[in-house]
């Protein structure tokens, strides 16, 4: 439901959703096929430090925990209530929650506006608003915070800790992001599914992310934007400090219908290009596809903004170099020749480089490049005042020492981090490169398996710099 | 060097490069830092069944094998010679090879045209042509055939067996493809690096791939196309039987220079849009980025062409559905509503589907979908004459049985394979989904971790159908 602006009471109370002293799960169950089982299980599995109160009107014990017949029976103050009961029973649970002075509620239950029960959804939302009880959902997957071992939803696992706040209207894509985290350490500060997004709004979560100390970038997946003014205002307040990356779906003809059926999002009559304008005005960076959304939000979370176009690429693989050259130009940020960036660099590197290296840019160290030669190249680039950012690339030929180059990259990055120059890596290859990517990410370096992903991330770092400059 | 048309003697002799009874490695070495070490090591490691003759003018024994001072000393006929000696010594090795009636040679050595030694490269090429001795390279990584345990180059490992012939001018991107194979079972029928591509041409390898029984699709990475007529003629002969996917780099301003410096490819004065015309005329499908190049070549290798636009998507994740809707429309192949595709499908599925399923298309089976419900949906889609292709998608919510859905997908695909309807899967998630992707691929189903990748592959299957139709 529409809001004119982010509401202060909501932003303030959100901390009870992401760090509650006590959680009640209404609809808690001992049946693993039930959402109410998975939520309790997820909370216990990661040893969440807060108290957990299963609520089930037929059971005294759920998964070994004392269970209660209703919220009212819980002999404690409850910060957060997760509701997973039939849609017709949600109303009475909300009434109890208000009586019990609960701080925030989340409704996992579907079968509201998306299946035709719009009036009921609006009525419950209005009830919550009248009582200043922020409501997540309905029709949501859950939320969590890996820094607090807090997993409250029907997701199988907690993601890795990291810099990105993931705010997703879709539960399935949220699960996709968590999967990327498990597979390749896409690190999250917190995550939230919003589902039908009846009450708690993107804008309010963005303002919450702005204050969250673990969050360095905010990723927002949107199916419908019913409160663009609130969104713009939250972004404008946040963007000077933290970058916001958005993906907006439902712009295609059939997508309009699918978005309504999925999260009751209304896109009828909207024009996709209008969203470009909204996001531009907000200072949010829009991505077109999911992979790029993940890749760039990570880069923006790990690295500083890129203050100029002078990127130097250091590679041992001419093919990665060429894919990068073309992709930079396609994205409107053509690479410059090294001579154009810095007159001295080629000369100062030359004595150390392999015989047939190319000093054009990409600096092609050729297939025989040794780790120490990477180190020299990285160091000279970081130390050269004309270089704005460094892009390292590794192709694992049989003579390439990938782990040693990875170490060199991490050490050099640590040493020069204070300079505020972005550093991004690309490693296309098999198991060894995959492990290197994970290690680099864990050490604050955005690393990717293809050249285009790395380039897109560098371009996003540059875009963010421009956005921030305009707003100074 | 330019050719007017694919040469018969080259195409005919290529089998000696990919399946030689005997290989000599000139420049073979016991020093692991040397290319000549890695090539011998790679051949032995996978127990290549042919004979291996190390040639080194200072050693009698290399890696436990009897070594020879020169090619002439080898007491056997030699099918294929891999050369890894200094650029100034290559000429005399080629002379010996001609004397010895070698069938094919490959020159790994760099420092030819790409570093200024164009005259020498041309001279050696002309010498080989005069003697009808096909020459791979110079400046190449190697080649191989996983079906024969044959790895002849300085790559660390053999890729998985599969349907794609990978012909790459760049060694580093070739290594990238092998890495994708190791990580996610991107299966190859054979692979070849071409490097400077002085003699053996894309067109000749394409015609070789046309006849290779393991090859079902041909992937060609191009930095410079000096013989477009030969390329077009080879593609035209091949495309009615096997799809060809190309990626052409070096079109950007700085890429023109980098491509010359990398593989001596000449793009000065060419216009990137002209290549679109060449590829269209050839019937080759051009891709813009590397990931898509890998993804679509695999799909085209594993699945039949898509004869119509009637794709039905079966998913438990509305988010994947929406990303797909938008991507299909962006790629010019908008999804149709189920009712538009087949009047009866929704009705016949309805009794079996979860309560809140959506029959719009994507068919959203919702987060609680059971494997048997996937089976019913897949089966009905395959059996419906109005459906041209089936697109399955799995989002691993906590209650989702990913392995069981994977089994269902494999069984159903096997059962209906004879119908010639493409089947593509998307599974966004962590470890479990990654394993499922590998299993699906090993069972002939192209499966991907993001919706856009799956959609791009489906669109490519449709493009190939159209190309083939036009040529009938």
């Amino acid at each position: 439901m529409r809001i004119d602006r982010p509401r202060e009471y909501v932003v303030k109370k959100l901390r009870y959703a992401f760090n509650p002293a006590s959680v009640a799960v209404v609809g808690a169950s001992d049946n693993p096929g039930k959402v109410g089982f998975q939520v309790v299980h997820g909370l216990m599995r990661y040893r969440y430090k807060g108290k957990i109160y299963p609520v089930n009107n037929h059971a005294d014990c759920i998964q070994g925990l004392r269970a209660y017949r209703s919220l009212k029976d819980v002999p404690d103050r409850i910060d957060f209530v997760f509701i997973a009961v039939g849609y017709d029973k949600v109303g009475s649970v909300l009434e109890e929650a208000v009586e019990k002075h609960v701080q925030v509620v989340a409704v996992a239950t579907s079968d509201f506006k998306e299946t035709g029960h719009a009036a009921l959804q609006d009525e419950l939302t209005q009830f919550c608003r009248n009582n200043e009880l922020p409501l997540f959902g309905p029709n949501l997957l859950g939320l969590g915070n890996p820094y607090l071992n807090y997993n409250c939803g029907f997701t199988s696992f907690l993601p890795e800790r990291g810099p990105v706040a993931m705010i997703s209207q879709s539960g399935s894509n949220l699960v996709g992001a968590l999967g990327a985290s498990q597979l390749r350490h896409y690190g999250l500060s917190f995550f939230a599914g919003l589902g039908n997004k009846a009450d708690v709004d993107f804008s309010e979560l963005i303002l919450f992310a702005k204050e969250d100390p673990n969050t360095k970038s905010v990723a927002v997946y949107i199916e419908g934007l019913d409160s663009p003014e609130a969104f713009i205002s939250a972004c404008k307040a946040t963007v000077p400090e933290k970058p916001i990356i958005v993906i907006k779906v439902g712009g295609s003809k059939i997508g309009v219908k699918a978005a309504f059926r999925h999260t009751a999002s209304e896109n009828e009559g909207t024009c996709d290009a209008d969203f470009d304008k909204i996001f531009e005005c907000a200072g949010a960076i829009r991505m077109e596809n999911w992979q790029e959304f993940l890749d760039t939000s990570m880069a923006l979370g790990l690295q500083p903004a890129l203050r100029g176009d002078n990127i130097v690429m250091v590679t041992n693989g001419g093919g990665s170099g060429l894919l990068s050259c073309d992709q930079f130009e396609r994205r409107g940020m053509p690479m410059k020749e090294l001579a154009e960036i810095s007159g001295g660099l080629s000369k100062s590197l030359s004595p150390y480089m392999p015989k047939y290296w190319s000093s054009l840019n990409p600096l092609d160290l050729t297939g025989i490049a040794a780790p120490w030669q990477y180190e020299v190249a990285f160091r000279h680039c970081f130390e050269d005042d004309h270089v704005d950012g460094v892009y390292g690339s590794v192709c694992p030929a049989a003579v390439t020492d990938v782990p040693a180059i990875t170490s060199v990259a991490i050490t050099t990055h640590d040493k020069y981090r204070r300079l505020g120059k972005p550093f991004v890596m690309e490693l296309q290859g098999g198991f060894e490169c995959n492990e290197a990517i994970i290690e680099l990410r864990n050490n604050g370096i955005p690393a990717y398996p293809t050249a285009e992903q790395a380039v897109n991330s560098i371009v996003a770092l540059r875009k963010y710099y421009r956005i921030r400059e305009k707003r100074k």
Side-chain angles (χ1 to χ4, degrees), chain A residues 17-330:
Chain A
F18 292 98
N19 187 14
S22 53
V23 189
V25 180
V26 183
S29 170
D30 269 329
N31 173 354
K34 294 277 186 188
V35 168
F37 173 92
Q38 297 293 345
V39 179
V40 175
H41 180 71
L43 286 164
M44 290 175 67
R45 181 175 166 202
Y46 292 99
R47 301 177 191 279
Y48 179 60
K49 64 169 180 31
K51 287 176 197 145
I52 306 166
Y53 297 110
V55 175
N56 180 313
N57 55 12
H58 303 295
D60 295 320
C61 177
I62 299 274
Q63 296 181 49
L65 294 173
R66 163 86 205 267
Y68 300 86
R69 299 296 162 117
S70 80
L71 283 178
K72 284 180 292 187
D73 297 336
V74 176
D76 187 10
R77 146 179 106 78
I78 306 174
D79 281 350
F80 182 49
V81 175
F82 192 96
I83 302 173
V85 296
Y87 81 98
D88 51 335
K89 296 185 194 77
V90 172
S92 61
V93 178
L94 292 176
E95 280 171 23
E96 283 181 35
V98 167
E99 275 177 51
K100 186 82 189 166
H101 302 291
V102 164
Q103 303 286 348
V104 186
V105 294
V107 178
T109 315
S110 58
D111 203 15
F112 282 97
K113 190 171 171 184
E114 83 283 8
T115 53
H117 297 126
L120 178 60
Q121 178 176 311
D122 288 351
E123 188 191 305
L124 299 179
T125 306
Q126 198 53 58
F127 172 76
C128 287
R129 289 189 176 181
N130 294 344
N131 290 284
E132 298 206 345
L133 173 65
L135 172 141
F136 276 86
N139 187 21
L140 63 64
L141 182 86
L143 42 82
N145 182 331
Y147 285 93
L148 298 171
N149 296 327
Y150 174 59
N151 180 27
C152 187
F154 48 117
T155 59
S156 315
F157 51 82
L158 263 180
E160 295 293 318
R161 294 173 184 186
V164 185
M166 170 61 68
I167 300 161
S168 170
Q169 219 179 332
S170 156
S172 60
N173 288 337
L174 182 54
V175 167
L178 304 191
S181 187
Q182 193 184 51
L183 273 178
R184 274 195 172 147
H185 291 221
Y186 172 72
L188 299 183
S189 54
F190 70 84
F191 61 93
L194 290 188
N196 287 9
K197 207 192 66 55
D199 183 45
V200 173
D201 186 62
F202 299 119
S203 58
E204 290 150 348
L205 279 155
I206 289 169
L207 291 177
F208 177 75
K210 175 174 177 276
E211 302 303 328
D212 176 52
N214 296 318
T215 298
K216 309 295 175 201
S217 67
V218 189
V220 192
Y221 167 93
I222 300 170
E223 300 198 350
L225 193 65
D226 58 359
S227 306
E229 301 84 356
F231 179 83
I232 291 171
S233 114
C235 288
K236 281 188 168 170
T238 305
V239 154
E241 289 169 46
K242 295 177 183 180
I244 298 169
I245 307 90
V246 296
I247 184 164
K248 161 72 178 67
V249 302
S252 57
K253 193 164 161 259
I254 200 162
V256 168
K257 291 191 183 185
F260 186 85
R261 193 57 185 70
H262 186 222
T263 53
S265 294
E266 299 185 51
N267 288 292
E268 204 73 65
T270 65
C271 160
D272 194 62
D274 290 345
F275 289 102
D276 287 332
K277 287 177 209 151
I278 290 171
F279 298 136
E280 203 193 320
C281 172
I285 304 173
R286 184 178 189 178
M287 292 297 151
E288 205 174 64
N289 82 55
W290 182 253
Q291 188 62 56
E292 209 176 327
F293 176 65
L294 296 182
D295 290 338
T296 56
S297 55
M298 183 181 66
L300 284 157
L302 293 175
Q303 290 290 316
L306 175 61
R307 63 188 163 217
D309 289 344
N310 289 347
I311 282 283
V312 179
M313 179 177 186
V314 177
T315 185
N316 67 341
S320 287
L322 276 160
L323 291 168
S324 299
C325 290
D326 286 7
Q327 183 70 359
F328 270 120
E329 187 167 299
R330 222 178 268 131

Side-chain angles (χ1 to χ4, degrees), chain A residues 450-464:
Chain A
T450 71
E452 289 92 342
Q453 290 174 274
V455 170
N456 295 345
S457 296
I458 294 169
V459 171
L461 290 167
R462 182 78 184 115
K463 266 192 197 157
Y464 179 52

Side-chain angles (χ1 to χ4, degrees), chain A residues 381-396:
Chain A
C381 289
F382 273 112
E383 285 183 356
D384 191 307
D385 288 342
H386 300 99
V387 176
D388 299 314
V390 185
Y391 169 21
S393 149
V394 181
C395 155

